[in-house]
Amino acid sequence: MDAEVFNHDLDSVFDRLSKGLTPADKEFIERLPQKLHFVSRRFKDYKKKRTPLEHLLFCLKKDKLAEVHYRNVEGRRSKHLVEPYAMVVYRTSLYLLGYSHSRKDMRTFMLDRISRVDSLKEGFKYPEDFDPDAYFANAFGITVDTPQQVVVIFDASEAQFVEEHIWH
């Protein structure tokens, strides 16, 4: 993903935050990548999605409706009138989370499958009580649905490994 899309807004936030830090705090933050390291998958290169991403970020920033042209996993194309609530990073992908007026429900749109976004002049009221953490609390990966109880049987030799991890 092209970091320039976020740089302008983030620079001003970081400038304001850094003014309140002590020199020791600033030094610690500069060395934080050495002190706290995440081993993760590489993030996708979203340079080809720059225009739709810029429109989505504009809509997120200004609470404007977006017309999202989307292709689902089966290849079916659709157009959604969306209230964009959040951009979500899941594993190596970027998703738009928002309320689709077309479906009258919350939807998660994978950026890879968005062909076009039109920023509309019409705004919307961002729900004050919306919490992405709460929304994804019972998600299976990036999919939000009614929780289901399942029973999975593992070989005894794998028991400790299974117990040490959070699976979903």
Side-chain angles (χ1 to χ4, degrees):
M1 181 167 65
D2 189 351
E4 291 177 35
V5 175
F6 297 104
N7 280 351
H8 177 69
D9 289 337
L10 287 177
D11 284 345
S12 65
V13 169
F14 287 127
D15 286 345
R16 286 181 276 167
L17 287 173
S18 68
K19 289 179 182 173
L21 296 174
T22 67
D25 289 338
K26 287 180 184 179
E27 181 181 342
F28 175 73
I29 289 171
E30 287 173 11
R31 294 185 62 207
L32 196 56
Q34 295 169 311
K35 304 270 185 173
L36 179 64
H37 182 74
F38 293 93
V39 176
S40 64
R41 298 177 179 124
R42 292 183 52 89
F43 200 66
K44 291 180 184 176
D45 181 354
Y46 280 113
K47 287 179 186 164
K48 292 180 181 176
K49 295 293 183 178
R50 181 182 181 106
T51 301
L53 184 56
E54 285 176 341
H55 283 276
L56 289 173
L57 293 173
F58 172 82
C59 291
L60 280 163
K61 183 177 179 181
K62 301 288 187 178
D63 291 340
K64 297 289 184 184
L65 291 172
E67 187 175 76
V68 176
H69 297 253
Y70 192 70
R71 175 188 44 82
N72 71 9
V73 72
E74 291 91 22
R76 195 171 41 246
R77 297 186 182 281
S78 58
K79 190 166 41 174
H80 296 261
L81 180 62
V82 178
E83 294 178 8
Y85 290 172
M87 294 303 297
V88 178
V89 177
Y90 177 70
R91 295 194 176 179
T92 63
S93 297
L94 195 55
Y95 296 81
L96 167 66
L97 173 62
Y99 180 81
S100 169
H101 287 264
S102 312
R103 298 289 170 95
K104 301 199 180 339
D105 198 8
M106 291 292 292
R107 288 286 190 251
T108 305
F109 301 92
M110 186 179 202
L111 184 59
D112 302 70
R113 297 188 195 133
I114 295 175
S115 59
R116 187 171 119 201
V117 175
D118 295 318
S119 310
L120 304 180
K121 292 180 182 179
E122 185 181 348
F124 68 94
K125 175 116 173 79
Y126 190 93
E128 290 180 25
D129 62 346
F130 180 71
D131 177 3
D133 285 330
Y135 179 78
F136 286 108
N138 293 315
F140 186 77
I142 193 75
T143 304
V144 175
D145 206 342
T146 305
Q148 303 289 319
Q149 184 172 356
V150 296
V151 176
V152 182
I153 300 171
F154 292 93
D155 187 270
S157 65
E158 299 297 325
Q160 182 175 350
F161 178 79
V162 172
E163 287 178 4
E164 292 171 344
H165 293 80
I166 296 173
W167 297 97
H168 282 283

